[in-house]
Amino acid sequence: MQKRDLQMVDAVKPGLSRRTLLVAGMGTAAGVLLTAGAKPGAGNASDNRMWDAIVIGAGAAGLGAARKLADSGKRVLVIEARNRIGGRMWTDRTSLSIPHERGAEIVHGHDVSTWELINKQNLKTHRWEDKFAKANVGDESWINAKDFESFHFPQGAPSFPGGLPQPFPGEKAEAWLNRIGIPRSNYPISFLVAEGDSVQFDELPAEWAVGDVEFALEMQQYSGRMPEEAYGDYRVIGGYDQVLAPLAQGISLRLSSPVHTIDYRKNRVDVHTSNGSFKARVVVLAVPGGVLKSEAITFNPPLPAGRQAAINEISYLPVFKDILEFSQPVVPADATLPRRWDVAAMFSENPPTLWDASRGTPGFSGQLIVAWMTGGAAQELLNLSEAERHQASLETVRKFAGDPGLQNLRASTYDWSKDQYALGAYPGPFSRRSGLSDPVGGVLFWAGMTTSTIHTSRDSGTRAADQALAALK
């Protein structure tokens, strides 16, 4: 069953597979055109220069595009609205005792393009190994995410001699599961993990859950430890933003320069910002879909109606991420769990999921714990004040530790939906993804609008650069 094992691992990605909004912080002087790595004020260039390409956005997608263009010998300028590179990749180095990620945090997979950047700099990483979950705080035992039991129905697997009943048109997953005899009390842990990583089943179209049910039913014949994960989730020790250095090296950057207007015609694009105007033969737009949807950038002439309609169908997933700092590692109340763990989830709580965001950090005797949720349950948390969000996260940690008096030292959180240069964490399952990346007018190219990981963002930038290079020949 080796082939099936690999397919299963890839499909399930146990242990909260797609953790991330998007990261990084390499602060530099505001509004200065500079070469990455140089002192502020170095590398000044005339605003009147004709660039081969301008890249708008210095996140992973924009820097990925700029790197490919520069390595191909093109004169490239990156324009960024923020006073730092990274976009929704944001390593905060000041709020807590050690660097932490307000946005993207995890390298998803061990064969993705991010590893090129990690290996080039010999960065250290920590792989999530110890991952556990339970449906309710009061349940007697935890399910190891590496065990087949994470797909087992706790009250026994249902039987469908006549075949799995199909959903009605418009039926939601929760209603369909109830109708076919799978109440929430009989959800496998894998269903609850899926809810905690996307939208809850009361919102999810039922047809999207059919494959999960079929797969879980197939897994009932197995028990014990699953084959070694072919996937894997990793944290970069010392800050995820370190992976950006090779992408940004030697690239001319204009920071603190929000773009408000783009005039384009054959072989010429004029980009107007709050900090000057610039011109190039082509432009790569690596701007979050939420910003494009808000029409913060005016295009002259207007974008084709079909493209604008596609942009308007981009939708973002509510994402809650709260980071609590403790003076020493939090020990789980259940002595059967490792004293130092990676991920723990109690799905009766909100937020339900916790992970250790400091394990492997040299010289740090405390612990950073991330509390996480997505979808409608995340929005409930985001509607609270910051103090109330921290308290909700602390209550989940207290229940995990069995210590109602446990206190954290500091806390950090961020609502990306309120960030004017993001307007969302990452696209949800209902977001439009097709019809967004084809070039416009032979001069406008697109990257990163609906990506949800660092490697897919960077890869989308590389693809956009390839298209731009073909136009520059």
Side-chain angles (χ1 to χ4, degrees), residues 406-442:
L406 182 66
Q407 293 291 337
N408 61 296
L409 298 176
R410 284 170 285 274
S412 175
T413 191
Y414 197 70
D415 184 353
W416 287 95
S417 70
K418 300 289 196 303
D419 185 304
Q420 65 175 320
Y421 302 130
L423 298 179
Y426 56 77
F430 310 132
S431 180
R432 172 75 174 263
R433 286 176 169 79
S434 61
L436 291 166
S437 299
D438 292 340
V440 172

Side-chain angles (χ1 to χ4, degrees), residues 325-327 330 391 394 398 403-410:
E325 179 179 347
F326 295 89
S327 60
V330 172
Q391 187 63 35
L394 180 59
R398 285 172 169 174
D403 182 357
L406 182 66
Q407 293 291 337
N408 61 296
L409 298 176
R410 284 170 285 274

Side-chain angles (χ1 to χ4, degrees), residues 306-349:
R307 175 59 56 85
Q308 189 60 55
I311 289 172
N312 291 340
E313 292 178 19
I314 295 172
S315 63
Y316 277 73
L317 184 70
V319 173
F320 174 80
K321 184 180 186 182
D322 196 37
I323 306 100
L324 304 180
E325 179 179 347
F326 295 89
S327 60
Q328 57 189 16
V330 172
V331 177
D334 190 333
T336 66
L337 299 187
R339 290 178 60 86
R340 199 67 192 256
W341 45 278
D342 289 310
V343 181
M346 299 177 293
F347 291 106
S348 57
E349 306 308 301

Side-chain angles (χ1 to χ4, degrees), residues 97-99 124-126 235-239 242 340 357-366:
S97 295
I98 61 172
K124 302 298 183 184
T125 61
H126 172 75
R235 288 179 40 258
V236 177
I237 304 302
Q242 297 171 96
R340 199 67 192 256
S358 54
R359 190 172 180 181
T361 302
F364 182 59
S365 59

Side-chain angles (χ1 to χ4, degrees), residues 23-25 89-93 99-102 238-242:
V23 2
M89 178 189 237
W90 180 12
T91 302
D92 185 339
R93 300 179 178 277
H100 64 282
E101 312 300 343
R102 286 179 175 253
Y240 207 172
D241 62 356
Q242 297 171 96

Side-chain angles (χ1 to χ4, degrees), residues 251-446:
I251 303 295
S252 295
L253 297 165
R254 170 74 72 162
L255 301 177
S256 298
S257 301
V259 173
H260 58 77
T261 306
I262 295 176
D263 300 320
Y264 66 99
R265 59 186 185 273
K266 185 176 181 180
N267 297 323
R268 169 80 179 254
V269 184
D270 292 275
V271 179
H272 307 287
T273 81
S274 62
N275 199 31
S277 296
F278 307 88
K279 57 190 177 184
R281 294 172 60 194
V282 300
V283 162
V284 175
L285 287 109
V287 178
V291 175
L292 291 170
K293 184 176 178 178
S294 74
E295 300 187 19
I297 299 175
T298 299
F299 292 87
N300 293 316
L303 295 177
R307 175 59 56 85
Q308 189 60 55
I311 289 172
N312 291 340
E313 292 178 19
I314 295 172
S315 63
Y316 277 73
L317 184 70
V319 173
F320 174 80
K321 184 180 186 182
D322 196 37
I323 306 100
L324 304 180
E325 179 179 347
F326 295 89
S327 60
Q328 57 189 16
V330 172
V331 177
D334 190 333
T336 66
L337 299 187
R339 290 178 60 86
R340 199 67 192 256
W341 45 278
D342 289 310
V343 181
M346 299 177 293
F347 291 106
S348 57
E349 306 308 301
N350 193 24
T353 302
L354 308 174
W355 72 73
D356 187 330
S358 54
R359 190 172 180 181
T361 302
F364 182 59
S365 59
Q367 186 179 35
L368 302 190
I369 294 180
V370 168
W372 173 272
M373 190 52 181
T374 61
Q379 190 59 57
E380 293 175 8
L381 293 165
L382 293 173
N383 291 339
L384 302 175
S385 68
E386 284 200 10
E388 290 170 327
R389 294 179 216 167
H390 298 325
Q391 187 63 35
S393 301
L394 180 59
E395 291 302 325
T396 299
V397 178
R398 285 172 169 174
K399 291 177 181 178
F400 174 67
D403 182 357
L406 182 66
Q407 293 291 337
N408 61 296
L409 298 176
R410 284 170 285 274
S412 175
T413 191
Y414 197 70
D415 184 353
W416 287 95
S417 70
K418 300 289 196 303
D419 185 304
Q420 65 175 320
Y421 302 130
L423 298 179
Y426 56 77
F430 310 132
S431 180
R432 172 75 174 263
R433 286 176 169 79
S434 61
L436 291 166
S437 299
D438 292 340
V440 172
V443 292
L444 301 182
F445 303 87
W446 310 79

